[in-house]
């Protein structure tokens, strides 16, 4: 349920509504700093009568019409901005660039790439330590050792680290290495147990859209995390099921950026590396994503793509990544 206050509602009137919500056993959602005085009510409000809130200063009481609630723009009309050790994602902030290898392969590989992406202006470092691979015989990642190298790279280059969590059992390890952003991969978008557990962690979650999942399903998955208590969620469009004769690995759903921003206050970033599967298309698709409203990008970078243990073909070499960073600055004018 959403209570829209009159534009000139006084603090006392807002306070009375907040008290009423608590008296009735619910939790209000209200951002004091926001220009629009709108109060959301968390939890199942189906049996709550609108009339309970016809108080002084209240303009309108309405119900959220979307199937998701906390992540909807109706519930919170202003953009969420997620702060990751000073890197801001969302709203009108400069698009946040997450870059790094598909997988952490060795200490030397990670530190080399981290240095290169930092020097080119990336905001965060990515690298998979637990890799979801189609084949059980493919490189599965360095696991805990990979997290250790990521933490070392963060210490050396000062970039927050983003890495994929494949299952709930890894949460303890992620806490041990103080991972800055927990990435939920496309294959795990509907791992509801994992989503619920990530609702209780203290770190932001980067939730990738499943290749065959709708925008509503993506937002419902985000709702699982938000409803369990963690509101720091970044969504990621990484390509959806391609046409059978497609020339790309997936089809980059560029419309997802504007649609998600209309439906939700959560930030959304784009991953043109997995979407295209080819380094050649990463730069043009990056710019398309930003033009369509993406609030950040996740880009795979490797200093020796031809020897990469995973996704070399879609990884940019550091010099190409540097060029792309310059093109992005030109595009956004800052
Ligand atoms: C990744 O980002 O490392 C990854 C595996 O991507 P996705 O989950 O989108 O396939
Ligand atoms: Mn990859």
């Amino acid at each position: 349920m959403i209570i829209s206050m009159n534009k000139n509602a006084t603090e006392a009137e807002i306070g009375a509504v907040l008290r009423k919500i608590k008296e009735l056993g619910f939790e209000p959602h209200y951002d004091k700093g926001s220009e629009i005085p709108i109060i959301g009510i968390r939890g199942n409000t189906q049996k709550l009568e609108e009339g309970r809130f016809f108080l002084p200063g209240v303009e309108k009481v309405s119900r959220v019409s979307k199937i998701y609630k906390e992540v909807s723009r109706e519930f919170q009309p202003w953009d969420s901005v997620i702060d990751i050790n000073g890197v801001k994602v969302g709203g009108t902030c400069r698009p946040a660039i997450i870059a790094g290898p598909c997988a952490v392969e060795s200490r030397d590989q990670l530190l080399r790439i981290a240095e290169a992406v930092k020097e080119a202006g990336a905001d965060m470092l990515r690298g998979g330590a637990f890799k979801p691979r189609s084949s059980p015989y493919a490189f599965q990642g360095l696991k805990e050792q990979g997290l250790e190298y990521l933490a070392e790279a963060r210490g050396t280059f000062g970039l927050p680290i983003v890495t994929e969590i494949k299952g709930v059992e890894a949460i303890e390890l992620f806490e041990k290495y103080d991972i800055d952003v927990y990435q939920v991969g496309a294959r795990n978008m509907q791992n509801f147990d994992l989503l619920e557990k990530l609702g209780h962690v203290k770190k932001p979650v980067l939730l990738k859209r499943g290749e065959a999942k709708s925008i509503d399903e993506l937002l419902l998955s985000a709702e699982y995390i938000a409803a369990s208590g963690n509101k720091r969620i970044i969504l990621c469009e990484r390509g959806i099921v391609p046409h059978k004769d497609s020339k790309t690995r997936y089809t980059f759903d560029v419309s997802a950026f504007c649609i998600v921003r209309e439906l939700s206050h959560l930030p959304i970033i784009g991953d043109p590396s997995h979407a295209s599967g080819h380094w050649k298309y990463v730069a043009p698709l990056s710019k398309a994503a930003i033009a369509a409203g993406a609030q950040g990008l996740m880009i795979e970078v490797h200093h020796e793509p031809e020897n990469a243990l995973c996704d070399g073909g879609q990884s940019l070499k550091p010099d190409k990544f540097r060029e792309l960073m310059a093109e992005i600055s030109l595009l956004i004018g800052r």
Side-chain angles (χ1 to χ4, degrees), residues 26-334:
F26 289 89
E27 196 201 330
H29 172 78
Y30 175 61
D31 184 347
K32 218 174 166 197
S34 121
E35 275 175 36
I36 319 160
I38 286 185
I39 303 167
I41 307 180
R42 293 208 163 98
N44 187 350
T45 54
Q46 259 168 4
K47 293 204 178 115
L48 198 56
E49 278 176 37
E50 282 100 323
R52 297 273 200 160
F53 301 102
F54 292 164
L55 299 170
V58 171
E59 171 124 352
K60 196 172 80 185
V61 180
S62 44
R63 292 189 181 274
V64 179
S65 57
K66 299 285 180 313
I67 42 177
Y68 33 84
K69 179 174 171 176
E70 299 220 11
V71 305
S72 78
R73 203 170 273 284
E74 278 173 293
F75 192 75
Q76 181 188 303
W78 60 93
D79 280 341
S80 282
V81 176
I82 318 291
D83 189 323
I84 305 144
N85 306 345
V87 175
K88 292 195 167 66
V89 189
T92 53
C93 298
R94 196 180 194 286
I97 311 297
I98 305 169
C102 176
V104 179
E105 298 169 10
S106 69
R107 179 173 177 272
D108 177 61
Q109 173 250 19
L110 184 70
L111 293 178
R112 274 181 82 149
I113 299 172
E115 183 175 22
V117 300
K118 162 85 184 185
E119 194 256 329
D123 301 292
M124 289 187 258
L125 175 67
R126 69 150 282 149
F130 295 86
K131 293 303 303 172
R133 303 302 299 273
S134 301
S135 162
Y137 306 115
F139 175 58
Q140 303 287 313
L142 296 181
K143 308 197 171 141
E144 180 168 1
Q145 181 83 83
L147 300 183
E148 204 179 306
Y149 295 152
L150 282 163
E152 182 185 346
R154 169 182 54 198
T156 307
F157 301 105
L159 296 174
I161 47 181
V162 183
T163 193
E164 177 165 352
I165 181 147
K166 270 171 47 190
V168 292
E169 63 291 343
I171 291 179
E172 245 174 73
L173 264 187
F174 272 53
E175 284 171 348
K176 176 174 168 195
Y177 292 95
D178 197 29
I179 299 305
D180 300 297
V181 180
Y182 293 31
Q183 174 178 329
V184 175
R187 292 155 194 81
N188 260 324
M189 191 199 90
Q190 286 188 329
N191 179 341
F192 301 118
D193 195 26
L194 178 61
L195 300 177
E196 267 173 15
K197 295 284 186 323
L198 294 181
H200 301 288
V201 303
K202 302 275 172 291
K203 299 288 180 169
V205 175
L206 175 66
L207 177 64
K208 298 188 90 175
R209 178 180 180 186
E211 64 169 68
K213 300 300 170 198
S214 68
I215 287 174
D216 279 343
E217 285 168 321
L218 171 66
L219 291 172
L220 281 168
S221 289
E223 186 79 19
Y224 264 92
I225 304 170
S228 301
N230 189 355
K231 321 286 174 212
R232 300 169 75 204
I233 306 162
I234 302 166
L235 305 169
C236 180
E237 159 59 37
R238 45 74 77 202
I240 51 175
V241 187
H243 184 273
K244 66 179 175 37
D245 298 323
S246 177
K247 302 271 193 259
T248 52
R249 185 172 176 188
Y250 297 96
T251 295
F252 202 27
D253 183 5
V254 177
S255 49
F257 301 111
C258 25
I259 294 168
V260 166
R261 288 192 63 179
E262 200 174 293
L263 296 174
S264 174
H265 52 84
L266 295 177
I268 177 159
I269 69 166
D271 172 352
S273 306
H274 289 91
S276 66
H278 199 300
W279 69 268
K280 254 200 291 187
Y281 307 128
V282 169
L285 292 181
S286 295
K287 290 179 276 182
I290 289 175
Q295 291 150 305
L297 295 168
M298 180 174 223
I299 294 172
E300 288 189 341
V301 177
H302 201 290
H303 64 299
E304 276 177 349
E306 57 288 355
N307 295 325
L309 295 181
C310 186
D311 287 350
Q314 65 192 36
S315 300
L316 291 183
K317 286 189 179 168
D319 58 334
K320 287 273 180 268
F321 176 65
R322 208 175 309 118
E323 278 172 31
L324 172 59
M325 290 298 283
E327 287 176 38
I328 292 171
S329 290
L330 267 183
L331 176 70
I332 61 175
R334 51 184 157 142

